[in-house]
Amino acid sequence: MGLVSSIALYFVLWWLCFFVALPIGTHSHVEQNMDVDRGSEAASPVKPRLLKKVLAATVVAFGLLFLTQWILAQPGLQYYWK
């Protein structure tokens, strides 16, 4: 797999991991029995912890990219595709 393909795959994997991680561990204002300010959504998260989720998506996407490249480099698969 070339460099450009690896970067493109990492980009897709990162966004996929990020969107999967977004709802994990979040609690809305309604779930926490907090007052909702006027003009804000009641279902909005109290503490979204985005930095933690960005770091988790980065690590998991890198691991998935490594695993994908390792699988694609196996001689059996290369023989199958030729």
Side-chain angles (χ1 to χ4, degrees):
M1 183 179 293
L3 179 65
V4 176
S5 298
S6 296
I7 292 171
L9 181 60
Y10 180 76
F11 180 78
V12 170
L13 288 173
W14 189 89
W15 279 104
L16 179 70
C17 292
F18 182 66
F19 282 129
V20 167
L22 272 178
I24 296 173
T26 57
H27 300 285
S28 68
H29 287 88
V30 174
E31 292 173 339
Q32 296 293 324
N33 294 325
M34 297 178 69
D35 292 331
V36 180
D37 295 333
R38 184 177 175 172
S40 65
E41 180 63 37
S44 64
V46 177
K47 294 181 183 177
R49 296 185 290 242
L50 288 178
L51 182 61
K52 188 176 182 181
K53 293 175 183 183
V54 164
L55 293 175
T58 301
V59 171
V60 172
F62 181 74
L64 288 174
L65 179 67
F66 177 77
L67 183 66
T68 303
Q69 288 189 345
W70 180 77
I71 290 171
L72 292 177
Q74 297 302 311
L77 265 171
Q78 291 177 355
Y79 176 75
Y80 175 74
W81 281 340
K82 287 185 180 181

